[in-house]
Amino acid sequence: MYATKVSERVYMLDTFALGQPGTVGAYLVKGPKPTLIDCGYSSSYENVLAGLAEAGVMPTEIRYLIPTHVHLDHAGAAGRLLREMPNAEVIAHERSVPHLVDPTRLIESSTKVFGPAIMGLYGTPEPIPARRVTAVGKETHLDLGEGLSATLIHTPGHAPHQISIVLDQTKVMFTADAVGIVYPGMKALIPTTPPPSFNPTELVSTIASIRQTTPKELLVPHFGARKDVEWVFDRSTELVQRWVEQVEGLWKRKMSLDEAAEVMEGEVTRDAGITELPIMAKMSVRVSVMGIMHYLDKNI
Ligand SMILES: [Zn+2]
């Protein structure tokens, strides 16, 4: 199944990233102006189209495509999808726009982080015509028709150009990666602290500020709808701080990325009360440890 109704007018679309269910989600607001929030890797764009079909929305009906940030699992498919969505306007943070229009540097830095083999699996993002993009800043209101509206809030920390989105009427929040990774059925959270621009102070203050908007439900890209809002905010804050401290300890002992990632995998495995982490969770842990080490290299 590609599309699941998770809230009033909202569908979660499973993008089946690298063929895996339940890891990278996108969301559809099925209102008078259908809006797609995030769209997964370039290599899985067809799954997004399948999700829209299941939810009963044609690609030509999409009015807004909002990549919450430019990371490939959120915006990778945007350029490719826009070819099927002639009536869609892209809305993104002003610092995202240059990377959406010309992804050359994004592709270079992602290749550095993931390596060429994995980049091949993710697929290459296509450039988006500048005339189709509208830039937003700190906070923007968006009219979605017939009394439905959204507030787009700048939520830096995970990435400096990230936005999260609240549906004003129902107070559901599309968190983007402002909160940790919470895979369904796994009772553990993995902090979202990737290279190249993770900033712990900003991430913690972003979580505090979106918490003040008192969302009723969180729609998390990795992965799913969460009604345990307080738990997700509490754990996200706590674990960013704990992981930075722990990884700093390992980094000071000159541990390699592989060794440090193994230690943190052990932490998540224990938290989750399982014996072996799923492969996508392992990849997430490694990227988050890499992001913290990169931050330490730059700042200490
Ligand atoms: Zn991200």
Side-chain angles (χ1 to χ4, degrees), residues 69 71 73-74 158 162 177 194 222:
H69 58 300
H71 292 167
D73 50 337
H74 296 261
H158 170 77
Q162 181 177 257
D177 288 336
H222 320 289

Side-chain angles (χ1 to χ4, degrees), residues 3-295:
T4 311
K5 191 167 186 194
V6 287
S7 186
E8 197 187 328
R9 295 186 169 194
V10 180
Y11 288 78
M12 180 174 72
L13 310 181
D14 193 334
T15 70
F16 288 86
L18 314 187
Q20 302 285 321
T23 57
V24 177
Y27 290 94
L28 168 72
V29 182
K30 194 181 170 184
K33 297 181 181 177
T35 299
L36 179 61
I37 297 172
D38 285 335
C39 53
Y41 292 113
S42 180
S43 58
S44 47
Y45 82 92
E46 283 169 316
N47 300 334
V48 176
L49 294 174
L52 291 179
E54 266 186 30
V57 172
M58 291 195 301
T60 51
E61 292 178 277
I62 297 291
R63 291 287 300 278
Y64 297 115
L65 168 54
I66 311 180
T68 56
H69 58 300
V70 302
H71 292 167
L72 301 178
D73 50 337
H74 296 261
R80 179 64 190 81
L81 283 169
L82 279 180
R83 289 202 256 145
E84 321 284 329
M85 300 177 175
N87 302 309
E89 171 187 346
V90 175
I91 300 187
H93 189 261
E94 57 201 6
R95 291 181 68 172
S96 290
V97 175
H99 300 291
L100 295 172
V101 172
D102 176 6
T104 313
R105 272 183 50 214
L106 175 69
I107 295 167
E108 274 168 22
S109 81
S110 308
T111 308
K112 233 195 246 166
V113 172
F114 300 109
I118 292 186
M119 270 300 278
L121 301 174
Y122 290 166
T124 310
E126 290 184 14
I128 293 173
R131 63 184 159 78
R132 297 193 67 179
V133 190
T134 300
V136 297
K138 201 166 164 37
E139 190 171 309
T140 305
H141 293 277
L142 185 65
D143 178 7
L144 299 178
E146 289 173 20
L148 189 66
S149 64
T151 305
L152 283 48
I153 309 164
H154 184 213
T155 50
H158 170 77
H161 57 269
Q162 181 177 257
I163 54 174
S164 303
I165 298 149
V166 183
L167 281 186
D168 300 325
Q169 287 69 33
T170 52
K171 285 199 137 189
V172 300
M173 172 178 274
F174 305 89
T175 58
D177 288 336
V179 300
I181 294 165
V182 278
Y183 290 125
M186 202 176 91
K187 231 194 126 14
L189 180 146
I190 302 168
T192 40
T193 61
S197 326
F198 157 64
N199 180 301
T201 319
E202 283 185 354
L203 183 50
V204 168
S205 83
T206 275
I207 300 169
S209 75
I210 57 174
R211 182 176 213 150
Q212 281 181 353
T213 68
T214 59
K216 288 209 166 60
E217 187 171 3
L218 303 179
L219 302 177
V220 184
H222 320 289
F223 180 93
R226 304 288 295 216
K227 295 217 190 262
D228 51 349
V229 174
E230 296 300 313
W231 185 86
V232 173
F233 283 149
D234 282 343
R235 287 302 272 169
S236 296
T237 310
E238 190 187 320
L239 286 187
V240 168
Q241 289 163 328
R242 195 172 95 197
W243 277 47
V244 171
E245 271 170 37
Q246 270 178 287
V247 173
E248 185 173 349
L250 306 174
W251 175 80
K252 281 186 173 150
R253 283 158 53 196
K254 305 263 180 280
M255 254 194 200
S256 69
L257 169 64
D258 284 344
E259 290 165 333
E262 210 181 306
V263 173
M264 300 317 286
E265 266 174 32
E267 292 277 317
V268 180
T269 313
R270 258 193 305 283
D271 277 0
I274 53 179
T275 49
E276 175 85 30
L277 277 190
I279 178 76
M280 293 298 271
K282 279 189 188 176
M283 283 170 75
S284 300
V285 169
R286 188 184 161 85
V287 170
S288 287
V289 171
M290 198 191 296
I292 296 171
M293 285 184 146
H294 184 76
Y295 169 80

